[in-house]
Structures are given as C-alpha cells and as structure tokens.
Amino acid sequence: MADLQEKYLDGILELHRNLAVQDPDGDHLQSMMSAFECAVETVQRDLGASTPKRQKSRPVRGYIDGCFDIMHSGHYNAVRQAKALCDILVVGVHSDAEIKKHKGPSVMNESERMGLVKACKWADEVVFDTPYEPSIKLLDELNCDFGVHGDDISTTEDGRNAYGILKDAGRLKIIKRTSGVSTTDLVGRLLLMTKDHHLKSPKGEQDSGVETRNYDPAEEKQRARSKQESISSFLPTAWRLSAFSNNRIPSADDTVVYVDGAFDLFHVGHIEFLEKARALGTFLLVGVHHDEVVNSMKGQNYPIMSLHERVLNVLSCKWVDEVVIGAPWAVTDDMITSMNIKVVAQGTVTKMADFDDDDDPVNKQVDPYAVARRRGIYQEVESPRSLMTVNVVERIIANRMNFVARNEVRGAKEAKYLQSKVFVSET
C-alpha cells in the first residue's frame, strides 16, 4: 500500500511539474491532461493488481408470517413493507390448527388463505404450516437473514412475545402496522350482518336468508362494540395508493381485458377468476364499484369493506395491472373506447349472483354488459369455485358465538396496543 501511495504522489508531482513548464506552443492544458491521465492509469493499474475482486453478494432474504385470515389491506401492506427490506421475501402461512390454538377459529380455511398469499405480488416464496412463534432454526432452514413484523407484536397462547427469540438475536425488523383495519375489525362488521342489524339500503331492508336467534349478554356487548367500530377508521392516502400501484399504463399493442365487481372481502374465488381473466389478454383492468353503487344493488350491510380498502386488495394481486376506482355498474361505449378495451370478461359466478329471486326485478333486468355483448367483445369464463362474499358472511353468522368470544379477546389486545402506540415510519 505504501508503494501505491508513493506512486500516486509521484503522479501528482509530475502533474504540477508539467503545469509549471512553459510549452513552446503555450498549450498548458494539453500538458496537464496528459500528466493527469498518466498518473490515474498508473494508480488504477496497480490497485487492480493488488485488490481482490469483490464477490457478488447473495440476495438478502426476509421472512414474514401470519394467519392472513380475511386478508385485507393491512396484511398486504405488511407484506409490501417486508419486501422493501429484502431482495427475496418468504411468507409463512399458519395452519388452521395453529391459529385456533393461539387466536381462536379462522374464517377462511388454510387452502383459501394459501391461495391468497400465493397471488400476492410481493411474495416471492410461500411456505405453509409455519409456527406461530418463529425460531432462529426456522430462519436458518429458510435461509432468511431476518424476520419482519408490525409494531403490534403478536403474543402466544400463554402471553409471551411470539417474536421475542428473533428480537433478542437481533434478527427482527419492525415495520409500521396499517391503521384502521384488522381482521378483528372486519369480523366485528360481519357480526352486524345478522338480520335484525342490517343497515337499510335505498331499496329497504332485505332478508339475508340467515336464521336469527336470541343473543346472550356477552353477544349483546360484542354487538354494541361492533356497531361502534363498524365505521372504518381506515385513512387512504395518495401515497399508499401509489405504493400499491404498478405504475403501468397499457400500450396501443396491449390486449386490454376489463372485469368489474365489488371484490368485497377479497377471497380466493376472486383470485382464481382474475388469473383466468388475465390469460385472455396482456393487460388486466379491474373496475371496483363505489360503496353506494354496491349498496344500492345488494343492500344490507354491503360492502363490508370500503372502496379504498377493496381497491388496495385488488391492486395487491399479481394478475392485476390497473384498477378503475369507483367504476360504473354498467360498461359503456365511452369506457371501451377511452380505455382501448378489447375483452370484457365475467365469471360464471358473476356480480349478479348474490341477488335472490325476490330482489328488485328492475335492477335484475339491467344487463351491465349489454354494450360489450353488442360489440362482440364479451366473454364468459368458468369460475374455478363457487365461493362468494355472502358465503364468507354466512360462516361468521353460523359460528357467531365462537367469533364473539374471539373478538372479546382480540379486541382487548388491540385496545391495549392503541393505548401504547407510538409512531413508526412506514417503509
């Protein structure tokens, strides 16, 4: 190293000597550049010979896990933030048994939850049946450098910090929890779907087709809390929408496929349909209907999730290229022309499927795809499964006592978190 420094100094001295020399032609700049280039080449050559070539670093691997039950924008935003911390993100999904042991019953089964996580555009690898309390051994087996969790650290069935081991080892990174949305909150909204607590829509109260029962005091207490919490405090921002966006617009050569719907309580049925629709072209444009439009057509408490919650969910799907926020119920000629839509697709389980025979016949007679049919661009694709939003609601209602008890416990934990909450910067 001393020899290299000496050569470097010699080169600088040579540069100064040349600057001091009066060239017969007066071309001082030419002399200066020649000396400088010579000095630089000498140092670079010797440094290259004595310094080993830098090894290409391996990708940074991160790990995040969860139940991902009734997957919502908070889940997706956690996965997005975790991905921003690493090159490859491994997502662990807990089994039904593991969730029941630590948190109570899940609404969606493990197959349905796995399908949602696998379709998340920020998940590089997905592993199933991961423990609720991750260990150093697990990280090492998955070749992960660290684990990731929100600032609302989970606790085990006996009250221990589920991520304490990773934290103590310095292998845990904390990210910001998304405010205003949680599975507990969504279950609370769903508990309001019992017949005697439906909100009246412009069409009037409608029968849910679900049997009602008398409730005990514990359930009455939960219903009162749910009613108070049913107005979502989710605060959408332009930055959040931008973070979820693909920032891509279709080119003139793209085959734009358009689908629309409420996409309420985003589930694996939606995912599988979107994958099939995307295969019909090169750019999938998804219209998400406004809250008022959905409620006017479906009544009751629909939609369970607000417009922006539903938009973020859809944008998280790897099959989706762009979203129309607040799309009209019916596809129009102007939409088709303005957005260069080549295919309008719907599944065999359509957005009309939630209607009962005694629903408003006027709305049922309005075909939202009449224009697309007339222009010969309408296609129907086979829906891989018959799961609908109403089926998710029915699961909650059918097991409401279990979920009331679950929400009592989870609600207390969330209240404790909110009381001690501090600011955490979002990744």
Side-chain angles (χ1 to χ4, degrees):
M1 182 61 70
D3 291 338
L4 291 176
Q5 290 176 339
E6 185 176 346
K7 290 180 180 179
Y8 175 77
L9 291 174
D10 288 343
I12 298 299
L13 290 173
E14 180 67 18
L15 173 63
H16 282 285
R17 281 195 294 269
N18 275 279
L19 288 174
V21 173
Q22 294 296 318
D23 195 303
D25 297 327
D27 193 359
H28 303 305
L29 179 62
Q30 183 70 31
S31 300
M32 178 185 72
M33 291 302 296
S34 297
F36 182 73
E37 288 173 1
C38 180
V40 170
E41 287 176 2
T42 300
V43 173
Q44 286 181 335
R45 182 177 63 253
D46 290 337
L47 282 175
S50 61
T51 306
K53 291 184 178 180
R54 183 181 177 186
Q55 296 293 325
K56 184 179 180 181
S57 60
R58 73 170 182 84
V60 176
R61 292 172 63 88
Y63 171 79
I64 189 170
D65 61 16
C67 305
F68 304 110
D69 193 22
I70 314 183
M71 202 160 177
H72 52 69
S73 58
H75 291 133
Y76 287 118
N77 197 39
V79 177
R80 182 195 65 78
Q81 291 183 79
K83 173 62 177 176
L85 298 173
C86 57
D87 301 307
I88 298 174
L89 181 64
V90 181
V91 184
V93 181
H94 305 318
S95 67
D96 292 345
E98 188 78 348
I99 296 172
K100 186 175 182 180
K101 176 182 177 182
H102 294 279
K103 298 182 71 172
S106 62
V107 179
M108 315 302 287
N109 65 48
E110 51 201 32
S111 172
E112 293 166 340
R113 293 183 289 107
M114 277 289 289
L116 280 166
V117 176
K118 285 182 177 180
C120 177
K121 65 185 180 183
W122 298 293
D124 298 302
E125 299 175 16
V126 181
V127 291
F128 175 65
D129 199 14
T130 54
Y132 197 76
E133 188 175 7
S135 63
I136 299 300
K137 180 182 177 182
L138 176 67
L139 290 188
D140 291 343
E141 288 176 347
L142 296 174
N143 199 25
C144 290
D145 301 285
F146 54 81
V148 182
H149 197 277
D151 58 297
D152 58 329
I153 294 296
S154 300
T155 55
T156 61
E157 59 175 336
D158 55 3
R160 289 178 295 106
N161 182 340
Y163 295 82
I165 295 174
L166 302 190
K167 181 180 179 182
D168 293 342
R171 295 179 68 177
L172 179 67
K173 293 183 182 293
I174 299 298
I175 56 175
K176 185 181 183 69
R177 177 192 173 179
T178 305
S179 300
V181 60
S182 68
T183 300
T184 301
D185 173 60
L186 291 173
V187 170
R189 300 183 211 177
L190 284 163
L191 287 170
L192 293 179
M193 293 299 289
T194 46
K195 181 179 177 181
D196 58 345
H197 284 83
H198 287 164
L199 299 178
K200 289 187 177 182
S201 73
K203 298 194 296 178
E205 186 174 358
Q206 299 173 5
D207 193 336
S208 66
V210 179
E211 180 186 0
T212 59
R213 302 177 182 175
N214 294 324
Y215 304 109
D216 62 17
E219 185 169 359
E220 291 293 340
K221 182 179 179 181
Q222 173 61 42
R223 287 164 58 207
R225 177 183 289 111
S226 297
K227 187 171 184 178
Q228 184 178 4
E229 295 175 352
S230 63
I231 301 175
S232 174
S233 56
F234 178 71
L235 301 175
T237 62
W239 182 90
R240 180 70 53 74
L241 285 169
S242 176
F244 274 60
S245 173
N246 292 318
N247 296 312
R248 182 192 169 209
I249 58 175
S251 68
D253 297 327
D254 269 316
T255 300
V256 179
V257 180
Y258 178 78
V259 301
D260 62 12
F263 298 100
D264 197 15
L265 300 179
F266 201 50
H267 54 70
V268 71
H270 294 135
I271 292 290
E272 292 174 348
F273 163 67
L274 292 173
E275 180 180 5
K276 281 199 166 187
R278 181 64 169 76
L280 298 176
T282 59
F283 190 98
L284 182 60
L285 178 66
V286 182
V288 181
H289 300 313
H290 195 280
D291 294 346
E292 292 182 357
V293 172
V294 176
N295 187 257
S296 68
M297 300 302 290
K298 296 190 175 184
Q300 304 171 13
N301 285 53
Y302 294 106
I304 306 302
M305 291 178 168
S306 70
L307 172 63
H308 289 99
E309 288 174 313
R310 293 181 285 120
V311 165
L312 292 178
N313 290 347
V314 173
L315 280 172
S316 302
C317 177
K318 65 183 179 181
W319 310 117
V320 175
D321 294 291
E322 179 63 296
V323 167
V324 178
I325 303 174
W329 183 258
V331 179
T332 65
D333 277 309
D334 183 64
M335 282 179 62
I336 293 172
T337 302
S338 298
M339 298 181 175
N340 198 29
I341 296 171
K342 303 300 183 183
V343 178
V344 175
Q346 266 291 293
T348 49
V349 176
T350 72
K351 63 183 182 182
M352 305 296 289
D354 285 329
F355 287 101
D356 296 323
D357 291 337
D358 58 351
D359 280 332
D360 190 340
V362 175
N363 285 325
K364 289 204 71 173
Q365 290 173 3
V366 176
D367 179 6
Y369 308 109
V371 172
R373 294 180 198 274
R374 172 173 55 78
R375 295 177 64 152
I377 62 172
Y378 178 83
Q379 288 192 40
E380 185 175 85
V381 298
E382 184 69 28
S383 297
R385 65 179 76 197
S386 59
L387 181 65
M388 297 184 294
T389 299
V390 69
N391 301 136
V392 180
V393 173
E394 287 170 349
R395 293 180 188 182
I396 295 289
I397 302 305
N399 298 280
R400 57 183 170 275
M401 291 309 299
N402 287 331
F403 288 109
V404 165
R406 176 188 184 276
N407 263 27
E408 283 289 329
V409 175
R410 299 302 305 171
K413 289 183 177 181
E414 290 207 14
K416 184 177 180 180
Y417 159 74
L418 291 173
Q419 289 174 359
S420 60
K421 181 179 178 180
V422 296
F423 174 76
V424 176
S425 180
E426 186 163 346
T427 305

